[in-house]
């Protein structure tokens, strides 16, 4: 590493500038959220008399309690099932190498770059036929399907790198595939499963398009979908809008801060198997 | 949605070493292949029902004139003809391509600039803090990014406040409402969202490059620019490929940010394909045309992403 001091300092300065740019929107929102209700805030000024009560008002106005419950229900419906079936499929494709695995995997890869907009219209009519429009199932079921390409890709990548000898040994010991999967493979796959779980949680929480198309009632949507409705309702009351947006952001931030190490590692490893 | 496309699935192609084929074993292996399918099946069923079936239906709808309720009328490729000839629709596709510059090129270029100077984000607390903060935009809902930036870019938002403070008050305007600046302003929001992700990926890639390569380059008398072109760029091919793939998909399939910050206005200045599909299908009741646009969008994404995959996966020199 023969970097000259000057280059190091410039590099640091760039990083600091990036950090400032990244944080400014949040700071500016906070400064607006603390102004007295009914005033017109300007860009960034620390309020002389910060109105922390605005957050309580926003909590009531946004019906946060119901939103949190709804988001959690959707996450509970999507994440465990997605992770389980993707892990099983990854095991089948990457470790058991079932006949035709390549073909099936190719089929999954097709969906990897698929914009959700490309299937949202037929999904609407499909949900209508199933009588599920405006229920949480209308978000849960399609999301599980839409996550499969990435989730199977992710888990298969893990399982192809597990030495087959492990499975061989378990087989010779006379354990069934089911036992092999649960007792040997799943414990080994724990890091891959954990990072997939975190990603799925965040994507579900932040899913917007499906929420606004398939569910009209904001209290049955994801957090992001609800935030869209909140903006429609309070868009002119900037103070409340900023307070509400920050509130709606908070759970995501908390989860991210708790798991940030695994999350960042997961993203880096997932995108570049180095 | 961030998806990871950069890694070639590393399927080891060695034939499985089978244990001595006694009859009992052979029987067990045969059964294992059968049960193996049962493991793949649940995922495949969900994917088939909620992705492949709608995909086929999108293709089917795109060949009809249908309002979503009444009888559908077969029109063949007319909808596609409309997509490629209607000036509004062409403009909308053009908007998505303009956004690529902001969503992809700016974050990747800046990320490379930072990466070539930083080489590794220091370990320890400072490194963790830097990484955490730079990742924030990836974690929050895009809707929230849209709301935050709508406020920053508004008439009395922070951007104009800064401009007035440095005596550029004449330039100040409602950036997202102005006919000339709305699309670049939306692009800036996307750049902000993706900048941290690209920077971290590229800096991480940077830290894996063998320092000996740089030593060699320096010994050969290469300046910083030569060094960057001869060592950094080729070594980071994979990471650059990932960044471009993720950001181009984000640009072409953008919806949330535009819906929240401008609703596609003023006029059609910031309308993107995703938003137009939504409008055509659910407010103008032109399901056929919406589906044709959806198919074109899908193909556009593939046309941009597949060559990048090819290039970035090639053997490293």
């Amino acid at each position: 590493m023969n970097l000259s001091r000057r280059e190091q300092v410039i590099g640091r300065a760039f990083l600091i500038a990036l950090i400032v740019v990244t944080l400014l929107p949040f700071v500016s929102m906070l400064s607006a959220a603390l102004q007295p209700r009914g005033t017109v805030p300007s860009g960034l000024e620390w309020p002389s008399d910060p109105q922390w009560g605005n957050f309580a008002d926003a909590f009531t106005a946004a019906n946060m309690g119901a939103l949190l419950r709804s988001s959690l229900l959707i996450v509970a419906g999507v994440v465990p099932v997605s992770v389980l079936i993707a892990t099983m499929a990854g095991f089948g494709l990457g470790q058991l190498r079932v006949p035709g695995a390549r073909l099936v995997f190719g089929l999954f890869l097709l969906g990897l770059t698929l914009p959700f907009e490309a299937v949202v219209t037929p999904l609407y009519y499909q949900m209508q036929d199933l009588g599920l429009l405006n229920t949480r199932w209308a978000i849960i079921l399609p999301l599980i399907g839409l996550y499969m390409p990435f989730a199977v890709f992710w888990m298969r990548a893990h399982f192809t790198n597990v030495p087959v000898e492990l499975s061989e040994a378990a087989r010779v010991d006379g354990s069934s595939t089911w036992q092999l999967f649960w007792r040997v493979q799943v414990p080994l796959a724990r890091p891959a499963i954990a990072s997939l779980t975190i990603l799925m949680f965040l994507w579900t929480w932040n899913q917007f398009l499906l929420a606004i198309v398939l569910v009209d009632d904001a209290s049955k949507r994801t957090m992001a979908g609800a935030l869209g409705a909140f903006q429609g309702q309070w868009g002119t009351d900037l103070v409340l809008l900023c307070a509400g947006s920050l509130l709606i952001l908070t759970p995501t931030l908390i989860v991210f801060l708790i798991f940030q190490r695994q999350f960042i590692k997961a993203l880096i490893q997932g995108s570049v198997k180095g | 949605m961030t998806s990871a496309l950069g890694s070639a699935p590393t399927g080891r192609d060695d034939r499985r070493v089978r244990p001595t084929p006694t009859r009992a074993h052979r029987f067990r292996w045969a059964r294992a292949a059968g049960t193996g399918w049962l493991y793949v099946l649940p995922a495949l069923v969900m994917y088939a029902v909620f992705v492949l079936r709608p995909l086929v239906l999108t293709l089917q709808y795109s060949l009809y004139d249908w309002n979503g309720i009444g009888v559908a009328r077969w029109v063949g490729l007319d909808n596609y003809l409309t997509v490629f000839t209607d000036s509004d629709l062409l403009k909308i596709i053009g908007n998505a391509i303009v956004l690529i510059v902001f969503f992809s090129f700016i974050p990747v270029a800046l990320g490379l600039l930072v990466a070539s100077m930083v080489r590794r984000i220091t370990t320890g607390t400072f490194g963790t803090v830097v990484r955490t903060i730079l990742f924030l935009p990836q974690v929050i809902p895009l809707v929230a990014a849209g709301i935050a930036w709508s406020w920053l870019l508004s008439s009395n938002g922070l951007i104009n406040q800064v401009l007035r403070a440095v005596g550029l008050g004449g330039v100040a305007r409602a950036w997202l409402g102005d006919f000339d600046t709305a699309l670049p302003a939306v692009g800036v929001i996307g750049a902000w969202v993706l900048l941290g992700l690209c920077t971290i990926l590229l800096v991480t890639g940077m830290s894996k490059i063998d320092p000996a390569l740089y030593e060699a380059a320096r010994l050969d008398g290469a300046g910083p620019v030569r060094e960057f072109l001869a060592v950094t760029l080729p070594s980071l091919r994979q990471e650059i490929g990932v960044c471009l793939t993720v950001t181009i998909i984000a640009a072409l399939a953008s919806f949330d940010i535009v819906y929240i910050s401008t609703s596609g206005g003023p006029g059609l200045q910031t309308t993107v394909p995703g938003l137009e599909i939504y409008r055509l299908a659910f407010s103008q009741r032109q399901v056929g045309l919406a589906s044709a646009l959806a198919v074109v969008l899908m193909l556009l994404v593939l046309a941009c992403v597949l060559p990048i995959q090819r290039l970035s996966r090639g053997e490293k020199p």
Side-chain angles (χ1 to χ4, degrees), chain A residues 117, chain B residues 92-93 95-96 252 254 271-278 293 297:
Chain A
E117 293 99 327
Chain B
I92 288 165
I93 293 172
N95 287 344
L252 292 175
S254 55
T271 305
V272 288
L275 190 64
E276 187 66 7
I277 291 167
Y278 171 78
L293 185 58
L297 176 63

Side-chain angles (χ1 to χ4, degrees), chain A residues 81-210:
Chain A
V81 177
S82 296
V83 171
L84 176 67
I85 64 181
T87 306
M88 285 167 60
F91 171 69
L93 296 172
Q95 184 64 215
L96 297 175
R97 316 258 168 95
V98 295
R102 261 166 192 277
L103 188 76
V104 175
F105 185 57
L107 202 60
F108 277 116
L109 284 182
L110 261 186
L112 209 49
T113 61
L114 184 83
F116 284 15
E117 293 99 327
V119 290
V120 75
T121 314
L123 275 175
Y124 176 86
Y125 293 107
Q126 197 168 337
M127 291 298 143
Q128 197 176 43
D129 294 343
L130 292 168
L132 294 175
L133 274 188
N134 214 9
T135 68
R136 289 190 193 93
W137 291 110
I139 300 176
I140 293 171
L141 294 172
L143 270 189
I144 295 174
L146 283 159
Y147 287 161
M148 279 310 108
F150 177 82
V152 171
F153 173 86
W154 184 267
M155 291 315 300
R156 178 189 171 275
H158 161 81
F159 281 112
T160 41
N161 288 323
V162 177
V164 186
E165 289 69 27
L166 271 173
S167 302
E168 305 280 353
R171 286 218 188 282
V172 174
D173 292 345
S175 62
S176 67
T177 313
W178 191 240
Q179 287 168 325
L180 162 76
F181 177 69
W182 284 109
R183 288 192 193 152
V184 180
Q185 296 289 355
V186 169
L188 278 176
R190 207 165 281 161
I193 292 174
S195 41
L196 183 66
T197 307
I198 297 168
L199 287 176
M200 303 264 123
F201 169 85
L202 282 173
W203 290 341
T204 305
W205 198 261
N206 294 343
Q207 175 50 225
F208 181 63
L209 176 68
L210 289 186

Side-chain angles (χ1 to χ4, degrees), chain A residues 1-3 7-8 10-12 14-15 18-19 21-26 28-29 32 40-44 85 88-89 91-93 95-99 102 104-105 107-108 110-127 141-142 144-146 148-150 152-153 156 160-162 164 168 171 174 177-178 181 202-203 206 208-209 212-213 224 227-228 231 238 241-242 245 249 252-253 256-257 260-261 263-264 267-268 270-274, chain B residues 1-7 9-14 16-17 19 25 28-29 32-33 35-40 42-44 46-47 49-55 57-58 61 66-68 113-114 116-122 126 128 130-137 139-141 143-144 147-149 151-152 156-158 161 192 195 197 199-201 204 208 211 215 218 238-239 242 249 253-256 259-260 274 277-278 281-282 285 287 294 297-298 301-302 305:
Chain A
M1 288 292 139
N2 243 348
L3 281 180
E7 277 181 59
Q8 278 284 29
I10 297 174
R12 272 289 166 92
F14 257 102
L15 271 185
L18 270 185
I19 288 174
V21 168
T22 305
L23 288 179
L24 266 183
F26 296 103
S28 181
M29 260 170 129
V40 179
S42 74
L44 185 63
I85 64 181
M88 285 167 60
F91 171 69
L93 296 172
Q95 184 64 215
L96 297 175
R97 316 258 168 95
V98 295
R102 261 166 192 277
V104 175
F105 185 57
L107 202 60
F108 277 116
L110 261 186
L112 209 49
T113 61
L114 184 83
F116 284 15
E117 293 99 327
V119 290
V120 75
T121 314
L123 275 175
Y124 176 86
Y125 293 107
Q126 197 168 337
M127 291 298 143
L141 294 172
I144 295 174
L146 283 159
M148 279 310 108
F150 177 82
V152 171
F153 173 86
R156 178 189 171 275
T160 41
N161 288 323
V162 177
V164 186
E168 305 280 353
R171 286 218 188 282
T177 313
W178 191 240
F181 177 69
L202 282 173
W203 290 341
N206 294 343
F208 181 63
L209 176 68
I212 63 166
V213 169
L227 185 53
Q231 193 223 20
L238 201 81
L241 179 66
C242 285
S245 303
L249 277 185
T252 332
L253 287 189
F256 172 59
L257 291 176
Q260 56 93 14
R261 248 163 225 269
F263 178 80
I264 292 173
L267 266 190
I268 290 173
S271 46
V272 188
K273 288 265 185 291
Chain B
M1 155 162 165
T2 315
S3 67
L5 295 159
S7 51
T10 48
R12 290 194 321 260
D13 283 334
D14 52 344
R16 191 196 298 277
V17 187
H25 269 130
R28 202 176 286 153
W29 278 112
T35 50
W37 266 104
L38 293 177
Y39 286 82
V40 181
L44 193 58
M46 289 305 282
Y47 177 57
V49 174
F50 295 104
V51 180
L52 295 179
R53 179 177 179 271
L55 205 55
L57 284 174
T58 298
Y61 293 166
W66 185 42
N67 63 8
L113 190 69
V114 174
S116 58
M117 285 190 284
V118 179
R119 292 264 166 99
R120 52 175 74 241
I121 293 180
T122 27
F126 180 70
T128 309
V130 170
R131 262 188 222 104
T132 307
I133 292 176
L134 290 185
F135 251 109
L136 279 183
V139 176
I140 61 167
V143 180
I147 291 176
W149 277 90
W151 157 228
L152 283 181
N156 42 16
L158 179 63
Q161 196 184 19
W192 176 82
L195 190 58
L197 176 74
T199 306
I200 293 195
L201 280 178
T204 308
K208 288 191 214 134
E215 299 292 340
R218 296 245 158 152
Q238 229 200 357
E239 284 82 1
V242 175
I249 293 176
S254 55
F255 176 87
D256 307 17
Y259 180 97
I260 289 290
I277 291 167
Y278 171 78
F282 300 108
R285 295 275 166 202
V287 177
L297 176 63
M298 225 166 7
V301 169
L302 285 176
V305 166

Side-chain angles (χ1 to χ4, degrees), chain B residues 241-265:
Chain B
V242 175
C243 287
L244 283 175
T245 304
V246 170
T247 51
I248 286 176
I249 293 176
L252 292 175
S254 55
F255 176 87
D256 307 17
I257 293 176
V258 177
Y259 180 97
I260 289 290
S261 62
T262 64
S263 310

